Amino acid sequence: MGESGHMPIGVVLEISGAGTRISLDLDRLSAAAQDGDPSIAMAGQVGSQVKIRVGSGWLLASIRNQKSDTTVPGGIVADADFLGEGVEEPSTGRIHGFRRGVTRYPTPGALVYPAGTGDLRQVYAGDGRQAIQIGTVYPTRDIRAGLYIDALLGKHFALLGSTGTGKSTSAALLLHRICEQAPEGHIIMIDPHGEYAAAFRDTGVILDVSNLRMPYWLMNFEEHCEILVTAHGEERQLDCEILGKCLLEARSRNRLAEQIGKITVDSPIPYLLSDLSVILGNHMGKLDKGHSSAPYMRLKNKLDELKGDPRYQFLFSGMLVGDTMAEFISTLFRLPSRGRPISIIDVSGVPSEITRTVVAVLSRMVFDFAVWAREERTRPILLVCEEAHRYVPSEKNADGSSVGRILSRIAKEGRKYGIALGLITQRPSDLAEGVLSQCGTIIAMRLNNDRDQAFVRAAMPEGARGFLDAIPALRNRECVICGEGVAIPVRAAFDDLEESRRPASADPSFTQLWSTSGGEEDMVLRTVQRWRAQGR
C-alpha cells in the first residue's frame, strides 16, 4: 500500500441507520489518485469503497454520490452505504475478519480512509463455503469474485442484462463453473434460440425436436387443453369438459390404469391417440338431437391435424405410446449424470404456438418429480430458463398460460423440494414481479432501459443501492452481484471463456458479411429444402 493509503481522505459529517454523509478532501483525493494500487487510486469516486475508523476496528462503506460543497472542510460532500465491519490487523492496519452488517456506528468526526487492495482481499476472501470463481472484483486486477454455490442455488438466482452485454456468454460461464464443481449435478437449461448447444457439447446432452421424444401422454389435462382446444369463451369451457371426459376414458384403457385402480385425467398414464379419436367419435354418435356435434368435430379435427403435422412428430408420434416415462426422466434430469450434468433443451425447432406448453410440461415434470421423490434421498435439480420474460410475464402481459403458473410456483415453493431456478432475461420489467423478488441472488449486467433499472432497484436489498447506480455504466461482461450468493454486494468483471465453450450467440458483422459474395444460389436452395422438410 502506498503512503496515500494510510492518509485519511475525509471525515464523517452525519450518520443514519444504513449510511453516512462524509466530507472528502479534494487535495487528498488527488494525491490518492496517483497511487499504484487501483483501489486506492479510485478512493472517494462513486462506486469505490472507503473504510471508517470505529474504535479499534473498521467499517466498510461504498460511495454512492459526490457533490461540491464549499461549506465543508475539503470542499466535497459524499453519501456512502455501509457494507459491513471488521477488526484491524495491527501489523498492516488492514480490515480483518470482515462480516456483513453493522454492530457499532461511527460518530461524526470519525476519519475516513481509502480501502486498498489488501483490505478488499480480506473482505472478499471466502468464508470456507464452497464457491465458484467467476471473475475479478472491480477495480482490482487480481482479487477473485466468488459465488457461494449452495446459497446461489438454494435461494434461486436471476441473471439480467440488455441484449449485447454478454449475457449468454456469462450464463455459459456460470453453468460451466457449476458443472466443474459438481460433475454429478442435475441441470436443465431451456434454450429458446439454440445457442447453448455449441457451449456444452462435451459436458452436456443436447435435446431438440430430433431427439427429445417427449411422450404426449405426459401432459396433464390443462396442457392438453392448451394444445387441442381452439375455441374461446363459453365454447372453450364446453370443449374442455368433453376433452376431459374422453381423455380419462382413453387413459383408463391402459393396463397400468387397471393395476393402479383409480386414476385421474392428470395421471401420466399412456393412452393411444387413436383411442382418444375413437372415443370422441363414440360420444358424438350417442348425442341426443338437441346437442351439437361441433365441439367433438373441433377436437377430432385438431387431433388429426396434429398427428399429421411433421413439426409435431417429437410430441405426437405413434412411436411414443410405450411407457418410457422413467427413461425420459432419467435423460432429462441426468439421473445418473455420467459426467454430463447438464441437459440443454433446444426448443427453437418447436412450433411457436406450443413452445410455452412444452416448456410448461418440462418445468412441471421437474416440480412433480421433486414432490413425489421426497421419500428418497433427493437429488436437487437446477432449472435454468433463458428469455424468462416469455414464460413468466408480468401481470399486464399475462395470458393465464400454464407455464407462467408452474414457474411462479417453482419460484415460491421450489426451495422446499430441492429445485433451484435460474432466470435469464433482458427485460426484467416484463417479468412477473413476485418471481424476481423470490430470487435470492441477482446478477445484473448493463441495463439500458429506465424501467428495467427501476425494477431491479426495487428487487435489490437496501445496502446495494450504491452499486445499482453503476448498472447503466457497466461495460460489456461486467456485472453487479448482490444477495445470498455473495458476502457483500460486488461489482465484478467476468472471466474470458474459451472460444469452444461459448454459446453461438455472437452478433453477425454486417460490414464483413456484406463485403464478400459467392455461393448464394446454392445457399438459398439448401435453405428452402430445410424449410420444406421442417428440420427433417
Side-chain angles (χ1 to χ4, degrees), residues 100 129 145-148 151-152 441 481-490:
R100 220 171 179 161
R129 290 184 283 168
L147 283 168
Y148 298 121
L152 176 77
T441 309
I481 310 172
C482 43
E484 306 284 340
V486 282
I488 57 166
V490 55

Side-chain angles (χ1 to χ4, degrees), residues 112-145:
V112 178
Y113 294 81
T117 296
D119 293 307
L120 295 181
R121 183 164 282 118
Q122 293 283 346
V123 168
Y124 291 110
D127 56 10
R129 290 184 283 168
Q130 279 246 307
I132 47 171
Q133 309 289 316
I134 51 150
T136 47
V137 175
Y138 175 88
T140 68
R141 300 187 190 103
D142 58 350
I143 297 181
R144 302 294 286 148

Side-chain angles (χ1 to χ4, degrees), residues 48-70:
S48 70
Q49 275 86 54
V50 293
K51 53 186 190 180
I52 302 166
R53 166 76 69 203
V54 183
S56 62
W58 291 113
L59 193 58
L60 189 75
S62 163
I63 301 281
R64 195 195 312 188
N65 56 31
Q66 278 186 1
K67 58 174 178 282
S68 170
D69 188 339
T70 49

Side-chain angles (χ1 to χ4, degrees), residues 220-452:
N220 66 12
F221 173 52
E222 185 184 6
E223 290 146 2
H224 269 91
C225 288
E226 277 183 15
I227 291 188
L228 290 170
V229 176
T230 49
H232 296 286
E234 283 179 14
E235 283 185 342
R236 184 176 181 82
Q237 190 71 38
L238 181 63
D239 287 17
C240 288
E241 278 173 27
I242 290 169
L243 176 61
K245 248 188 340 218
C246 298
L247 181 59
L248 181 59
E249 201 174 314
R251 288 198 199 275
S252 305
R253 291 188 175 186
N254 192 301
R255 278 202 323 278
L256 272 173
E258 290 163 21
Q259 288 163 20
I260 294 166
K262 203 151 181 56
I263 65 161
T264 70
V265 69
D266 289 328
S267 304
I269 288 189
Y271 69 89
L272 291 167
L273 287 171
S274 53
D275 272 356
L276 182 60
S277 204
V278 165
I279 290 167
L280 277 164
N282 291 347
H283 279 259
M284 191 164 64
K286 292 179 194 155
L287 280 180
D288 301 335
K289 282 275 188 316
H291 290 83
S292 159
S293 62
Y296 296 90
M297 289 309 296
R298 281 197 293 267
L299 288 168
K300 252 175 95 63
N301 290 343
K302 186 66 182 173
L303 195 59
D304 294 342
E305 182 191 320
L306 295 180
K307 283 196 319 200
D309 190 331
R311 297 173 310 155
Y312 286 82
Q313 281 297 294
F314 74 96
L315 181 60
F316 287 105
S317 153
M319 308 296 287
L320 296 174
V321 73
D323 182 8
T324 51
M325 189 167 174
E327 295 97 287
F328 184 67
I329 285 174
S330 300
T331 308
L332 196 62
F333 302 164
R334 312 302 312 124
L335 292 166
S337 40
R338 299 200 174 91
R340 289 176 170 246
I342 186 165
S343 53
I344 303 286
I345 301 176
D346 170 4
V347 292
S348 60
V350 173
S352 55
E353 58 269 27
I354 66 156
T355 306
R356 298 173 68 166
T357 310
V358 168
V359 175
V361 177
L362 297 169
S363 311
R364 187 179 53 76
M365 298 284 296
V366 174
F367 189 79
D368 285 354
F369 181 76
V371 170
W372 293 110
R374 271 178 309 187
E375 310 293 304
E376 311 290 331
R377 204 174 124 249
T378 51
R379 306 272 190 277
I381 293 173
L382 166 61
L383 175 65
V384 184
C385 210
E386 171 71 271
E387 298 256 351
H389 58 275
R390 285 188 185 185
Y391 306 120
V392 238
S394 57
E395 282 62 44
K396 67 173 197 315
N397 300 335
D399 54 1
S401 67
S402 52
V403 67
R405 277 198 293 281
I406 186 65
L407 286 173
S408 299
R409 190 161 176 207
I410 289 175
K412 293 187 186 95
E413 304 169 30
R415 286 206 313 270
K416 303 180 198 130
Y417 300 111
I419 307 172
L421 189 59
L423 300 175
I424 305 171
T425 175
Q426 70 264 39
R427 295 302 307 273
S429 60
D430 286 349
L431 206 57
E433 206 162 341
V435 171
L436 191 59
S437 60
Q438 295 285 343
C439 293
T441 309
I442 292 183
I443 305 167
M445 302 179 76
R446 189 175 68 248
L447 288 163
N448 302 333
N449 180 310
D450 284 350
R451 263 183 53 227
D452 290 335

Side-chain angles (χ1 to χ4, degrees), residues 503-521:
S505 59
D507 298 329
S509 159
F510 284 79
T511 44
Q512 269 182 356
L513 294 171
W514 282 1
S515 59
T516 56
S517 174
E520 283 88 349
E521 291 95 335

